[in-house]
Amino acid sequence: MRKLSGWVAIAAAVVGLNGCMWAPGQHMSPKQFVSDASLDEDHVEIVPITPKLLAMDKAETPAAEVPAALLAYKPEPYRIGAGDTLYITIWDHPELTSPAGTQQQTAANGRMVGPDGTLFYPYIGSLQAQGKTIDELRSLITAKIAQVIESPQVDVSIIDYGSQRVTLQGAFVKTERQSITATPLTLSQAIGSATIDPLRADLSGLVLTRAGQHYRIDLDALNRGKQIAPEIYLKAGDHIYLPYNDRKEVYVVGEVIRPMAINFKTSDMTLSQALGRTGGLNPLTAKGDAVYVIRGTEDMQKQPAKIYHLSAKSPASYALASQFTVRAGDVVFVGPAGVTRWNRFVNQLLPFSNILNNSANTQDLLER
């Protein structure tokens, strides 16, 4: 039994020595985090989370804004296009206005603009309608029909818009194409009609494509607090894409209540929000001084990965955590307290100690 006691003492000393690098007040260096032979200290940078760091990050973060090219566009009067269906009224002449009969629905008496941009009207023949405004087409029909009807009163309206569309794709409930009409269509109206998927959408990554140019719009940042995003008018041919947030994750591991991968649909997430979603630090096993945010880089040969360290030993430290922004792909790690390391070691040791104990008892019996 003396041999067993001595072995446990040596093991305890090893665990205690291993826990020294986590002790409060000790200086941290990249060496403590690099154990892979393929990495060295130059590949890792330790950055304490301080008020100065938060101020620097805030100063470097650009304010969300709508691209100037989108704001510069103002809608023009609607111009008729191929596929539009028109309803042409000649007052006091129902035989021209409703040739299918007044009992029929309006659409039955509509006249569609053909693929070549023309439409046919009695006593006038073929008219070039595409590219004209409603007022321009009304004037043209009035001038033509006046050769047959004295002082005609003409009215033109569009009953179906089939020529100018906006397409939507991504995390919307409805992705049907939407029509540009005589009433200008805004981005907010199009999104409202399509309905955002509240659980799967990434509100910060909307992309509006116009004439081959991609414009990124952060809906979340533009509508935060008391801000209201300016109206963006859409043009025919615009494409709206709202990405899913399935690849926008933060991984929280270590001594928290519920380790998990967290999706987020907003522009950013704070460290306190990430920890809060996991239930917070485990009060029995977590070490408050060992909260880290590990952020990799695309090329660690050119730019080292960063490990941000938060000393969360007091409630005041969460004021820093509530301002520190985590990014997609970050790993939040909460280290174990020294007693947790010891308890885990003992739990792993007990089965082995039982084997040693049984062996020692057997040896005593043999010696007797």
Side-chain angles (χ1 to χ4, degrees), residues 1 4-5 7-8 345-361:
M1 294 302 295
L4 176 61
S5 300
W7 186 86
V8 172
F345 173 76
V346 170
N347 289 334
Q348 295 172 357
L349 175 66
L350 285 177
F352 185 62
S353 65
N354 289 334
I355 294 175
L356 293 179
N357 188 38
N358 292 335
S359 177
N361 290 336

Side-chain angles (χ1 to χ4, degrees), residues 77-78 80 132-142 155-156:
Y78 183 83
I80 299 167
K132 290 181 173 58
T133 66
I134 293 176
D135 288 339
E136 290 171 348
L137 183 59
R138 180 190 297 115
S139 298
L140 177 61
I141 293 175
T142 300
D155 193 14
V156 177

Side-chain angles (χ1 to χ4, degrees), residues 181-197:
T181 69
T183 302
L185 178 66
T186 66
L187 177 62
S188 59
Q189 290 171 334
I191 291 175
S193 297
T195 309
I196 292 175
D197 185 331

Side-chain angles (χ1 to χ4, degrees), residues 6-336:
W7 186 86
V8 172
I10 294 173
V14 172
V15 172
L17 180 62
N18 185 45
C20 287
M21 79 171 194
W22 303 95
Q26 295 294 321
H27 173 70
M28 292 188 303
S29 73
K31 289 182 179 180
Q32 296 172 317
F33 299 91
V34 177
S35 60
D36 191 334
S38 64
L39 299 175
D40 56 41
E41 294 180 57
D42 295 334
H43 294 140
V44 177
E45 179 183 0
I46 310 300
V47 182
I49 298 177
T50 63
K52 182 179 180 180
L53 174 68
L54 298 179
M56 292 174 59
D57 286 347
K58 187 175 182 179
E60 294 174 357
T61 302
E65 58 184 14
V66 177
L70 298 180
L71 293 177
Y73 171 69
K74 302 301 179 184
E76 300 175 349
Y78 183 83
R79 294 190 176 275
I80 299 167
D84 288 347
T85 301
L86 311 179
Y87 187 75
I88 303 172
T89 302
I90 309 293
W91 293 101
D92 296 327
H93 290 275
E95 74 282 2
L96 296 177
T97 301
S98 306
T102 57
Q103 301 302 318
Q104 297 293 326
Q105 294 183 352
T106 302
N109 292 300
R111 299 183 182 277
M112 180 179 290
V113 179
D116 61 351
T118 66
L119 62 82
F120 175 82
Y121 199 78
Y123 301 111
I124 295 177
S126 182
L127 287 172
Q128 183 65 37
Q130 184 172 6
K132 290 181 173 58
T133 66
I134 293 176
D135 288 339
E136 290 171 348
L137 183 59
R138 180 190 297 115
S139 298
L140 177 61
I141 293 175
T142 300
K144 295 285 187 179
I145 204 71
Q147 299 175 16
V148 180
I149 299 173
E150 183 178 356
S151 302
Q153 299 294 312
V154 180
D155 193 14
V156 177
S157 60
I158 302 175
I159 59 176
D160 184 50
Y161 294 86
S163 62
Q164 302 183 38
R165 303 288 182 87
V166 170
T167 57
L168 298 98
Q169 186 180 11
F172 292 109
V173 176
K174 297 174 289 186
T175 55
E176 294 84 0
R177 294 190 300 174
Q178 298 186 26
S179 297
I180 299 291
T181 69
T183 302
L185 178 66
T186 66
L187 177 62
S188 59
Q189 290 171 334
I191 291 175
S193 297
T195 309
I196 292 175
D197 185 331
L199 298 178
R200 301 190 297 165
D202 175 9
L203 298 179
S204 66
L206 184 138
V207 177
L208 174 64
T209 303
R210 174 175 295 173
Q213 183 69 38
H214 304 294
Y215 301 95
R216 181 169 178 174
I217 302 172
D218 189 336
L219 297 176
D220 173 59
L222 288 172
N223 291 281
R224 281 189 179 183
K226 297 181 179 180
Q227 297 184 91
I228 298 178
E231 289 289 10
I232 300 173
Y233 290 100
L234 299 179
K235 297 177 67 174
D238 283 353
H239 178 79
I240 302 168
Y241 174 70
L242 183 62
Y244 294 93
N245 63 10
D246 54 346
R247 294 187 179 182
K248 195 173 184 181
E249 293 180 321
V250 170
Y251 310 94
V252 185
V253 297
E255 306 305 317
V256 293
I257 300 299
R258 298 183 300 274
M260 65 174 68
I262 302 173
N263 295 97
F264 59 104
K265 61 182 179 181
T266 54
S267 304
D268 50 39
M269 176 185 291
T270 66
L271 177 55
S272 60
Q273 288 174 325
L275 292 173
R277 291 197 189 181
T278 63
L281 276 63
N282 190 318
L284 301 178
T285 63
K287 182 177 181 181
D289 195 37
V291 178
Y292 302 92
V293 178
I294 305 167
R295 182 170 299 164
T297 59
E298 292 184 359
D299 189 348
M300 293 181 63
Q301 295 294 335
K302 297 180 179 179
Q303 184 178 8
K306 291 185 178 180
I307 300 178
Y308 296 92
H309 173 229
L310 175 69
S311 180
K313 292 185 293 184
S314 68
S317 63
Y318 282 91
L320 297 176
S322 65
Q323 298 297 319
F324 181 82
T325 300
V326 295
R327 300 176 184 173
D330 283 355
V331 176
V332 179
F333 171 73
V334 179

